[in-house]
């Protein structure tokens, strides 16, 4: 065992009680993308749970390279949760285990600097996010990225495959208020997110356009940047808690004193799943736990809200064949994290003139997993290969998703494969059909 601080017993590094819930039935094996790649028990959910239990019981060094490798290898897609008969909350277990690993791992100075820069400086700051994306845009436009990419190996290639950063006008923030079209049925609060405004500002504009079309005014907090999802997924729970508090404060300030608060609409599946778990994240904070739980109860995925609130008067329509055959791919944190599957399909099927086909294995992971596609590009692309094959079999000409990470992964993967398939967010399809 590695030496731990007296205040950090081994059982504090993992959720030991939750590890005992696993009955080792093996139903998770067929759903786990990393197990499918390697066939190694340690690369499966139950294998990782067994390793966590070994850490808690003192049988495994929490700083062991093999343990760290398996925690990093996991995409935390949570597909295993959807098939687990024991109801194991594997995603929560992984977040705690990665947080514990961050406290004992033997990281190089370069790795520590990279984590500090990403999680403490850039992600929490709208100004730093904008500067970073402007720098990436400059590197893309001047060819600097093409020259530097070979020096970074596979990660450099992954950076080169990122979609082009749009111009400043495309990256303009949403207005503080976007009025409803016609008679107003109420107001909602909208999360702009960290990556979405910088790479997919059009998706945010499409989202508020659809909300306006079904009768809702949208309100956006100024200056808010990050909900903390990437922090929680990558072993920084304290940073995630801090950002949860600032997120709650930012949105509460826009509620106008409405009893119960306004719905909070999120068009990013990963962010939505994380924000719905704020009550759990802050459960040990006596000053925030109830406030966080109330806020979490107001969070709604974009598709969830529109499918429930749209009236028969909203009749989205496209000219027949305008988009070609379309396939919807379930983001992991929407279908497995939030158990939302039917709503996006219901909305797409409501669009007159749209031809939708099912995508085989649509609930399997595309390999994006937040920043996984940059940190482990080879593994990410190996996972994506199965999705690409399924898309080719479907014959779809348009791929629709509901998460920015998945959108990046599909765009990059299709570009590498030379496939002329268009990738759209669900909100973009619905906005086109609402005009």
């Amino acid at each position: 065992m590695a030496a731990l601080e007296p205040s950090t017993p081994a059982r504090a590094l993992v959720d030991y009680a939750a590890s005992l819930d696993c009955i080792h039935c093996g139903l998770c094996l067929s759903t786990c993308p990393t197990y499918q790649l390697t066939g190694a028990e340690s690369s499966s959910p139950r294998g990782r749970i067994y390793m966590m239990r070994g850490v808690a019981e003192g049988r495994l060094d929490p700083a062991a390279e093999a343990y760290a490798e398996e925690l990093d290898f996991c995409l935390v897609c949570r597909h295993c949760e959807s098939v687990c008969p024991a109801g194991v909350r594997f995603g929560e277990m992984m977040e705690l285990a990665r947080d514990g690993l961050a406290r004992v791992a033997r990281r190089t100075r370069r790795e520590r600097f990279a984590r500090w820069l990403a999680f403490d400086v850039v992600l929490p700051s709208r100004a730093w996010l904008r500067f970073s994306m402007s720098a990436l845009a400059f590197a893309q436009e001047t060819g600097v990225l093409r020259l530097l990419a070979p020096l970074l190996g596979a990660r450099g290639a992954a950076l080169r495959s990122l979609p082009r950063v749009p111009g400043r006008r495309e990256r303009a923030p949403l207005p503080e208020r976007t009025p409803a079209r016609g008679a107003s049925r109420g107001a909602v609060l909208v999360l702009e997110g960290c990556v979405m405004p910088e790479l997919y500002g059009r998706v945010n504009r499409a989202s508020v356009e659809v909300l306006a079309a079904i009768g809702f005014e949208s309100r956006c907090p100024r200056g808010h940047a990050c909900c903390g999802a990437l922090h929680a997924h990558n072993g920084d729970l304290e940073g995630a808690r801090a950002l949860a508090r600032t997120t709650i404060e930012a949105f509460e300030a826009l509620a106008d004193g409405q009893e119960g608060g306004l719905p909070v609409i999120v068009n990013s599946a990963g962010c939505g799943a994380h924000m719905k778990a704020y009550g759990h994240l802050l459960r040990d904070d006596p000053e925030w736990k109830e406030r966080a739980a109330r806020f979490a109860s107001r969070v709604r995925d974009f598709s969830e809200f529109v499918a429930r609130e749209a009236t028969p008067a909203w009749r989205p329509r496209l000219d027949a064949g305008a988009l070609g055959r379309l396939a919807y791919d379930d983001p992991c944190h929407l279908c497995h994290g939030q158990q939302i599957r039917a709503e996006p399909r219901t909305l797409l099927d409501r669009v007159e003139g749209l031809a939708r086909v099912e995508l085989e294995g649509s609930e399997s992971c595309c390999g994006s997993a937040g920043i996984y596609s940059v940190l482990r590009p080879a593994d990410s692309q190996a996972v994506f290969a199965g999705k690409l094959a399924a898309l080719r079999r479907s014959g779809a000409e348009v791929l629709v998703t509901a998460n920015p990470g998945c959108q990046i992964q599909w765009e990059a993967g299709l570009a590498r494969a030379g496939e002329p398939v268009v990738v759209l967010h669900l909100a973009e399809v619905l906005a086109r059909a609402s005009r």
Side-chain angles (χ1 to χ4, degrees):
M1 286 288 294
L4 299 174
E5 294 292 332
S7 59
T8 312
R11 288 198 180 188
L13 302 176
V14 298
D15 190 339
Y16 182 63
S19 75
L20 301 176
D21 292 336
C22 177
I23 58 176
H24 300 278
C25 63
L27 288 177
C28 59
L29 300 183
S30 63
T31 68
C32 178
T34 53
Y35 179 80
Q36 295 301 310
L37 288 179
T38 67
E41 178 71 15
S42 59
S43 298
S44 71
R46 70 177 183 184
R48 292 184 175 105
I49 290 173
Y50 187 76
M51 295 175 82
M52 293 176 198
R53 191 181 301 172
V55 167
E57 294 174 349
R59 295 181 287 103
L60 179 63
D61 181 350
E65 185 176 346
Y67 177 62
E69 166 61 17
E70 288 301 347
L71 292 191
D72 288 343
F73 188 26
C74 179
L75 292 106
V76 198
C77 67
R78 299 173 63 176
H79 200 163
C80 53
E81 292 186 20
S82 291
V83 300
C84 179
V88 173
R89 303 288 296 173
F90 185 71
E92 293 173 1
M93 293 178 66
M94 279 296 299
E95 288 179 357
L96 183 60
R98 283 180 170 175
D99 183 73
L101 178 65
R103 285 183 271 165
V104 300
R106 304 180 183 98
R107 299 189 186 276
T108 65
R109 183 176 299 177
R110 179 181 174 184
E111 289 171 331
R112 292 196 300 271
F113 174 77
R115 286 180 64 86
W116 169 79
L117 182 63
F119 297 126
D120 295 351
V121 177
V122 176
L123 283 172
S125 167
R126 176 60 59 203
W128 271 104
L129 280 164
R130 173 118 327 172
F131 173 79
S132 300
M133 285 299 174
S134 296
L136 177 58
F138 175 81
Q140 290 174 331
E141 292 167 5
T142 60
V144 170
L145 183 60
R146 185 178 65 254
L147 294 174
L148 293 179
L151 303 177
L152 301 175
R155 291 182 181 179
L159 288 172
R160 276 196 66 187
S161 67
L162 288 174
R164 294 192 69 84
V165 178
R168 285 187 174 274
R169 181 175 297 180
E170 175 73 16
R171 294 159 60 201
L174 288 175
E176 290 189 46
R177 297 200 178 203
T178 302
R181 190 188 305 169
S184 177
R185 300 173 55 210
V188 296
L189 310 180
V190 174
L191 176 79
E192 286 193 270
C194 53
V195 171
M196 197 74 90
E198 303 302 329
L199 290 179
Y200 298 113
R202 66 181 190 271
V203 173
N204 278 343
R205 289 191 292 277
S207 299
V208 298
E209 183 178 345
V210 173
L211 292 168
I214 65 171
F216 287 87
E217 174 188 287
S218 297
R219 302 174 187 172
C220 298
R222 287 279 70 87
H224 178 264
C226 182
C227 69
L230 286 173
H231 294 70
H233 299 163
N234 289 278
D236 183 9
L237 287 179
E238 200 50 51
R241 293 184 185 105
L243 288 169
R245 297 182 188 102
T246 60
T247 299
I248 293 169
E249 288 178 332
F251 281 89
E252 285 181 343
L254 294 179
D256 282 356
Q258 179 167 319
E259 185 177 355
L262 296 173
V264 179
I265 310 304
V266 185
N267 59 15
S268 167
C271 298
H274 176 67
M275 292 165 68
K276 286 182 177 181
Y278 273 180
H280 176 80
L281 182 67
L282 296 174
R283 67 192 182 281
D284 295 325
D285 187 330
E287 295 183 14
W288 280 87
K289 63 179 181 180
E290 292 182 5
R291 189 174 172 185
R294 286 194 302 270
F295 178 86
S297 69
R298 294 159 44 206
V299 177
R300 300 286 183 273
D301 179 70
F302 169 80
S303 67
E304 177 184 20
F305 183 82
V306 176
R308 187 187 68 190
E309 297 294 339
T311 67
W314 179 58
R315 298 179 179 178
R317 180 184 180 278
L318 291 168
D319 292 337
L323 286 180
R325 297 215 301 176
L326 176 151
Y328 173 72
D329 188 45
D330 294 82
C332 293
H333 280 87
L334 195 58
C335 63
H336 305 306
Q338 301 182 57
Q339 299 300 308
I340 293 175
R341 296 174 170 86
E343 290 87 338
R345 292 173 171 82
T346 298
L347 291 170
L348 290 170
D349 291 343
R350 186 169 177 171
V351 177
E352 183 182 344
L354 188 150
R356 184 176 69 84
V357 297
E358 282 292 345
L359 184 68
E360 180 187 342
S362 65
E363 292 192 16
S364 62
C365 187
C366 69
S368 169
I371 58 175
Y372 187 97
S373 58
V374 173
L375 297 180
R376 302 184 68 106
D379 295 327
S380 174
Q381 291 171 29
V383 172
F384 178 75
K387 303 290 284 190
L388 179 61
L391 179 66
R392 285 169 169 161
R393 289 193 296 271
S394 75
E397 301 159 90
V398 178
L399 188 286
V400 175
T401 185
N403 187 63
C406 302
Q407 198 159 352
I408 292 172
Q409 180 78 341
W410 274 106
E411 288 183 355
L414 289 168
R416 284 194 304 269
E419 294 284 350
V421 176
V422 176
V423 182
L424 296 173
H425 189 284
L426 173 66
E428 294 181 274
V429 177
L430 298 180
R432 290 188 189 187
S434 298
R435 292 164 189 162

